[in-house]
Amino acid sequence: GSAALAAAEAFAYGAEAAIRATPEDLAPFAGMLRFLGDIDQPRLPVMANIGVLDDGSDAMAEVLNLLARHNLLFHVVPATGLKYDLNIRQVPANADPYEFAMQIRRQLTDEKRLLRIYGSNVVLARLTGDAAQARLHLLNYGKGTVKGLRVRVIGSYKNGRLSAFEHPGTALEDYRVEDGATEFTIPETGRYAVVDLRR
């Protein structure tokens, strides 16, 4: 039951993937490939608060896993740069990965986070964009549909369009632009959804 999600994950992260689908997976997998073809567009730059120099250690791998699970947007880079709110070069020796990840969250502060998601701890996000637009990828790692997912993105985007696999025709609800941020609700989120935002 994971081939469709694996395809969506590869698409969201711009990765090439070899996916082995079981016979039961073939129909949803084919449906996902059609869906991805319909929403395909040129890639946008990664948007992130945190720049990471990955040293390949097990501790760093676990920290990155925890950052992703808490939707703390990071970008693995060859060299840290000033465009990030925080830069991580290594995990301190003997540090607890969970405590270190939460320390990063506290240092960043919720006010600076480019993206916040309310109503689920199983939906992981990836945000890309430029000066004119942004694309939000939402991957649902839970077993069922997530209802009433609330999203807040830093930036004033006048228009938002939802493309939701398994829920065609669903539109964003309670769309608001205020105080330099854009908020909206996604009524139902299946395995994968994309929100395209334009200024």
Side-chain angles (χ1 to χ4, degrees):
S2 60
L5 181 60
E9 188 177 54
F11 178 84
Y13 286 89
E16 293 185 3
I19 299 171
R20 178 180 294 174
T22 64
E24 310 86 65
D25 263 344
L26 290 177
F29 179 56
M32 179 63 78
L33 293 181
R34 287 191 298 272
F35 175 78
L36 298 178
D38 289 341
I39 65 169
D40 196 18
Q41 67 176 32
R43 297 282 166 182
L44 296 168
V46 173
M47 297 176 69
N49 290 115
I50 305 164
V52 179
L53 282 174
D54 185 1
D55 60 8
S57 67
D58 290 343
M60 182 64 80
E62 182 58 21
V63 167
L64 295 181
N65 176 48
L66 290 164
L67 293 178
R69 288 171 59 185
H70 287 85
N71 285 310
L72 296 164
L73 302 181
F74 64 87
H75 189 201
V76 176
V77 293
T80 53
L82 297 176
K83 66 178 181 176
Y84 300 103
D85 296 295
L86 290 175
N87 294 309
I88 303 171
R89 293 174 175 82
Q90 63 182 13
V91 180
N94 302 318
D96 176 85
Y98 180 82
E99 289 300 325
F100 184 65
M102 293 305 98
Q103 177 186 338
I104 292 169
R105 177 176 180 171
R106 289 190 294 271
Q107 288 178 342
L108 176 60
T109 73
D110 285 342
E111 289 73 23
K112 288 185 180 179
R113 288 173 64 181
L114 291 172
L115 172 73
R116 296 181 72 184
I117 292 179
Y118 308 90
S120 174
N121 59 4
V122 296
V123 174
L124 273 60
R126 177 174 172 83
L127 184 64
T128 61
D130 56 26
Q133 61 187 320
R135 172 166 267 203
L136 174 63
H137 303 264
L138 297 165
L139 295 150
N140 178 4
Y141 290 91
K143 294 183 178 180
T145 297
V146 174
K147 296 182 181 291
L149 189 73
R150 187 72 177 165
V151 178
R152 182 179 191 270
V153 181
I154 293 292
S156 299
Y157 296 95
K158 296 179 181 178
N159 300 303
R161 181 172 57 85
L162 173 65
S163 301
F165 182 68
E166 299 165 313
H167 299 285
T170 304
L172 300 175
E173 295 180 350
D174 194 18
Y175 195 94
R176 300 180 184 180
V177 181
E178 55 189 17
D179 299 327
T182 303
E183 291 193 24
F184 49 85
T185 297
I186 301 175
E188 293 183 301
T189 307
R191 278 172 276 195
Y192 182 55
V194 170
V195 179
D196 288 303
L197 302 166
R198 294 192 179 275
R199 294 188 186 274

